[in-house]
Amino acid sequence: MSRHPPSSAGSAPSPGHAVITATASGRPLAGHGLLVFTAVTVILVTLVLQGTTMPAVIRWSGLHGDPDETAEERRAHRQIIAAALEALPDHARRLNTPPDTADAILSELRQYAAEKAGPPDTEDTGVRAGLELRRALIGVERGALIRLRDRRSIDDIVLRRLQSLLDTEEIRIELALRAFTGRPP
């Protein structure tokens, strides 16, 4: 049984090179072209058919997200914001944050905890002290999130999702703070 010689280094073999071309006696394999065509067609049809019908199959089967995971995420959101609310006065005092700025952050966090809005928009404060306070509170939120996972109140999926939100918020705050110093992002 012979095969085509291996392709040169750095290039991928064609589908034709992966199929036997001769019998054990050395005679050419009858129908080699048809065999290659059939293999490629089956692969393409399978990928296209399954790829285009999968959303319809999922809808038909009634598969939905895990409702326990959604409730767990909401619970975790409330608990990490509660930790930030508890730590806010101490951090505001330590960072010499003006009271009106601390009150604005407090209001954002309360609104966020009540799930009336998405993550607080710290860019609207326009005050460097508020950004610094919010950045400090993200550390508190991260600690609360890790404690929730360590107590097995949330699973790793929820942990990663909320960490991603905190990461995004921290990056936004860092970029806004850099605007005060004139450093490029």
Side-chain angles (χ1 to χ4, degrees):
M1 285 195 214
S2 77
R3 293 180 182 256
H4 287 287
S7 61
S8 62
S11 67
S14 70
H17 287 118
V19 179
I20 297 172
T21 60
T23 63
S25 64
R27 285 184 301 203
L29 183 65
H32 175 263
L34 179 61
L35 183 61
V36 170
F37 173 77
T38 303
V40 170
T41 303
V42 166
I43 291 169
L44 289 176
V45 168
T46 302
L47 290 174
V48 170
L49 184 65
Q50 287 181 351
T52 57
T53 59
M54 188 57 68
V57 170
I58 291 172
R59 280 191 303 275
W60 172 81
S61 68
L63 295 175
H64 300 287
D66 184 0
D68 290 338
E69 185 179 300
T70 304
E72 188 177 298
E73 186 174 337
R74 285 188 182 131
R75 210 172 33 254
H77 267 286
R78 285 191 298 268
Q79 290 177 4
I80 66 173
I81 295 301
L85 287 169
E86 185 179 317
L88 188 137
D90 181 51
H91 284 282
R93 201 172 23 263
R94 186 174 51 81
L95 294 169
N96 296 322
T97 305
D100 58 332
T101 302
D103 290 342
I105 299 289
L106 178 69
S107 175
E108 285 180 13
L109 287 172
R110 283 186 177 150
Q111 183 179 9
Y112 189 41
E115 298 179 348
K116 293 181 182 173
D121 188 358
T122 57
E123 294 173 18
D124 285 346
T125 63
V127 178
R128 183 180 183 146
L131 293 169
E132 289 172 348
L133 174 60
R134 190 69 192 107
R135 184 173 56 182
L137 291 174
I138 287 175
V140 173
E141 290 174 296
R142 284 186 200 285
L145 190 57
I146 297 297
R147 285 190 300 277
L148 287 170
R149 194 271 325 265
D150 290 347
R151 288 193 318 248
R152 300 195 186 283
S153 297
I154 62 172
D155 66 20
D156 287 340
I157 293 171
V158 172
L159 171 81
R160 284 190 294 273
R161 192 176 297 144
L162 293 178
Q163 280 179 327
S164 175
L165 291 173
L166 292 173
D167 290 344
T168 302
E169 187 174 354
E170 188 172 38
I171 290 168
R172 281 187 16 229
I173 291 168
E174 185 61 35
L175 290 173
L177 283 170
R178 285 182 183 186
F180 284 102
T181 63
R183 289 185 306 162

